[in-house]
């Protein structure tokens, strides 16, 4: 055997070893799955993080991404006092203003650059009808535009590995639709339907198609967050329910997801929650429930800033020791690969 063919063989073998270690969105099992076959932990009003009564999340978008959130729901608005700068606001910027959209998008772009094996989805609520050109501007300014995946309506989705290889790792949906001038800013309801989002009853979770009215689409959002009217009989101001997040985000969520899986004969793709870091005292949280839907093992990791308890008090120190870094396995694969090459070369020579 010629040296060149040994070298070629070794490279092929090494390449396949490298390939086998690759994880897509944290799991090797996801690489060959289609984008449409996966459940993604999604934060409702992702930008509305903090301690204010109108906040939907305890932790900001960079912490969310660090923790494994892969779907972000954002609302675009021009605040009254700044009609030229797109902000992320909760309906009305006086209720909650998370600042310039460029800032959050820059955070997302930085994270995508540092995490090349991750696919993320942004779902825009553009009820304020910010013009499409403004989206082009903020995506370009933040460096996010280069990641935009373009998907034909009604076409099969690529696998996560394909999206990662292409570098087009950001899926962008918008509702109401944009003017169509940006191919990667896709009309949400051409691809996705949603279960009802105005839930005030902790036992009232539905598996019905709320938007677009009665039209089933290949992907769907499972809306599973709880609101309460600020004033009884007034649904103008609705507030999230952090005090009930441990109940909302545990067995209640698992049951809702399973029920919808049966109803629609497919797993939900975007598990949209408030206070994503909170789970129940049954040990379940949105990440364990998503892992279950995806038929992968849940690798428990500390959530948030590492100082808060995520559920009933099972604390982060415990979570830390339960977390399984993948490095060990990866090194074993590499050693096996190198050893095989060595053995093969010795044998041939
Ligand atoms: C939620 O927390 C309350 C107290 O804060 C507790 O009584 C209840 O058992 C918890 N439920 C779940 C499902 O974790
Ligand atoms: C907290 O949840 C864990 C499971 O994650 C369980 O083993 C433990 O008994 C629970 N502790 C309390 C005080 O409920
Ligand atoms: C997000 O929150 C973390 C702490 O949870 C903080 O260290 C970080 O600076 C924050 N990032 C931004 C962009 O505000």
């Amino acid at each position: 055997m010629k040296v060149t063919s040994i070298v070629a063989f070794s490279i092929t073998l090494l390449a396949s070893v490298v390939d086998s270690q690759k994880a897509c969105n944290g799991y090797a099992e996801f690489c060959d799955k289609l984008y449409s076959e996966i459940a993604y932990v999604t934060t409702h009003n992702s930008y509305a993080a903090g301690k204010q009564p109108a906040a939907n999340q305890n932790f900001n978008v960079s912490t969310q991404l660090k923790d494994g959130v892969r779907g972000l729901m954002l609302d675009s608005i021009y605040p009254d006092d700044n009609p030229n700068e797109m902000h992320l606001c909760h309906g009305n910027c006086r209720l909650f203003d998370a600042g310039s959209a460029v800032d959050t998008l820059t955070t997302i772009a930085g994270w995508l650059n540092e995490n090349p094996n991750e696919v993320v989805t942004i779902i825009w609520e553009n009820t304020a009808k910010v013009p499409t050109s403004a989206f082009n501007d903020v995506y370009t300014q933040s460096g996010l535009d280069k990641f935009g995946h373009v998907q034909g309506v009604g076409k099969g989705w690529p696998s996560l590995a394909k999206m990662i290889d292409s570098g087009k790792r950001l899926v962008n949906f918008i509702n109401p639709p944009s003017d169509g001038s940006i191919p990667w800013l896709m009309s949400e309801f051409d691809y996705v339907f949603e279960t009802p989002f105005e839930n005030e009853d902790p036992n009232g979770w539905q598996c019905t198609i709320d938007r677009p009215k009665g039209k089933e689409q290949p992907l769907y959002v499972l809306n599973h967050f709880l609101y309460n009217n600020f004033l009884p009989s007034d649904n103008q101001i609705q507030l999230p329910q952090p005090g009930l997040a441990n109940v909302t985000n545990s067995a209640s969520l698992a049951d809702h997801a399973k029920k919808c899986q049966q109803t629609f004969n497919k797993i939900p793709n975007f598990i949209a929650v408030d206070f994503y870091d909170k789970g129940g005292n049954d040990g379940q949280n949105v990440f364990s429930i998503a892992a279950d839907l995806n038929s992968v093992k849940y690798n428990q990791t500390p959530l948030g800033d590492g100082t808060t308890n995520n559920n009933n008090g099972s604390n982060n120190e415990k979570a830390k020791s339960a977390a399984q870094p993948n490095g060990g396995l990866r090194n074993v694969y590499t050693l096996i690969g190198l050893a095989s090459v060595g053995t093969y070369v010795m044998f041939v020579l």
Side-chain angles (χ1 to χ4, degrees):
M1 195 183 226
K2 292 201 189 73
V3 169
T4 45
S5 53
I6 295 172
V7 171
F9 177 83
S10 314
I11 288 171
T12 314
L13 186 61
L14 271 179
S16 69
V17 168
V18 168
D19 209 43
S20 75
Q21 340 163 344
K22 191 163 95 182
C24 301
N25 283 27
Y27 289 98
E29 294 95 318
F30 285 174
C31 291
D32 292 332
K33 281 203 185 188
L34 306 183
Y35 169 85
S36 50
E37 292 174 330
I38 297 170
Y40 305 94
V41 173
T42 300
T43 43
H44 168 237
N45 292 344
S46 319
Y47 56 88
K51 302 234 179 292
Q52 303 91 316
N56 300 84
Q57 306 297 336
N58 290 318
F59 296 102
N60 62 28
V61 165
S62 39
T63 304
Q64 292 172 28
L65 290 167
K66 183 263 294 169
D67 284 345
V69 171
R70 293 295 174 266
L72 302 167
M73 291 181 154
L74 306 179
D75 295 56
S76 39
I77 261 190
Y78 286 133
D80 293 342
D81 60 354
N82 195 346
N84 297 311
E85 187 177 73
M86 191 203 284
H87 276 222
L88 303 178
C89 295
H90 186 141
N92 177 329
C93 288
R94 270 167 295 190
L95 200 55
F96 195 107
D97 185 350
S100 153
V102 170
D103 290 348
T104 296
L105 297 187
T106 302
T107 298
I108 300 169
W111 189 87
L112 281 171
N113 279 320
E114 282 167 19
N115 294 276
N117 291 338
E118 301 290 327
V119 175
V120 169
T121 302
I122 297 178
I123 301 177
W124 287 98
E125 195 83 46
N126 186 29
T127 34
K129 301 214 168 58
V130 169
T132 306
S133 59
F135 283 90
N136 201 33
D137 292 346
V138 293
Y139 271 70
T140 309
Q141 282 171 47
S142 60
L144 257 194
D145 53 327
K146 68 173 183 191
F147 294 110
H149 170 79
V150 179
Q151 178 70 22
V153 175
K155 298 272 167 28
W157 285 84
S159 66
L160 281 203
K162 278 220 174 92
M163 293 175 77
I164 287 166
D165 287 345
S166 73
K168 303 296 184 188
R169 303 183 277 122
L170 181 65
V171 177
N172 298 277
F173 293 122
I174 189 165
N175 158 63
S178 69
D179 68 13
S181 60
I182 309 177
W184 46 255
L185 190 59
M186 302 178 286
S187 169
E188 179 188 358
F189 297 139
D190 285 348
Y191 304 84
V192 182
F193 72 86
E194 297 200 11
T195 65
F197 62 92
E198 288 203 284
N199 303 302
E200 292 166 20
D201 174 1
N203 300 306
W205 307 106
Q206 305 289 314
C207 292
T208 53
I209 301 174
D210 186 50
R211 299 181 299 164
K213 271 283 164 274
K215 191 158 193 305
E216 185 161 352
Q217 297 290 10
L219 303 168
Y220 71 105
V221 173
L222 185 83
N223 282 312
H224 195 92
F225 42 85
L226 201 59
Y227 271 117
N228 204 359
N229 289 337
F230 180 58
L231 300 169
S233 81
D234 172 11
N235 63 5
Q236 292 308 301
I237 300 182
Q238 294 183 306
L239 294 178
Q241 298 295 298
L244 288 175
N246 70 327
V247 176
T248 309
N249 293 350
S250 51
S252 156
L253 175 60
D255 292 348
H256 187 200
K258 293 242 164 64
K259 186 171 143 209
C260 292
Q261 181 180 5
Q262 278 169 9
T263 305
F264 302 119
N265 203 23
K266 55 192 174 194
I267 59 168
N269 301 94
F270 307 102
I271 318 285
V273 297
D274 282 344
F275 313 108
Y276 76 91
D277 55 298
K278 293 294 177 196
N281 58 15
D282 57 359
Q284 297 195 83
N285 65 21
V286 63
F287 297 99
S288 71
I289 291 163
D292 211 29
L293 292 167
N294 288 324
S295 307
V296 293
K297 187 175 164 291
Y298 169 50
N299 293 321
Q300 194 179 6
T301 55
L303 302 175
D305 58 11
T307 64
T308 53
N309 292 334
N310 302 126
N311 42 42
N312 63 341
S314 79
N315 67 31
N316 285 312
E317 282 314 308
K318 207 158 71 193
K320 243 174 235 160
S321 63
Q324 302 212 332
N326 292 324
L329 189 61
R330 199 171 296 157
N331 293 340
V332 170
Y333 276 132
T334 308
L335 278 179
I336 294 173
L338 289 175
S340 324
V341 173
T343 313
Y344 188 79
V345 169
M346 279 190 317
F347 180 74
V348 170
L349 295 179

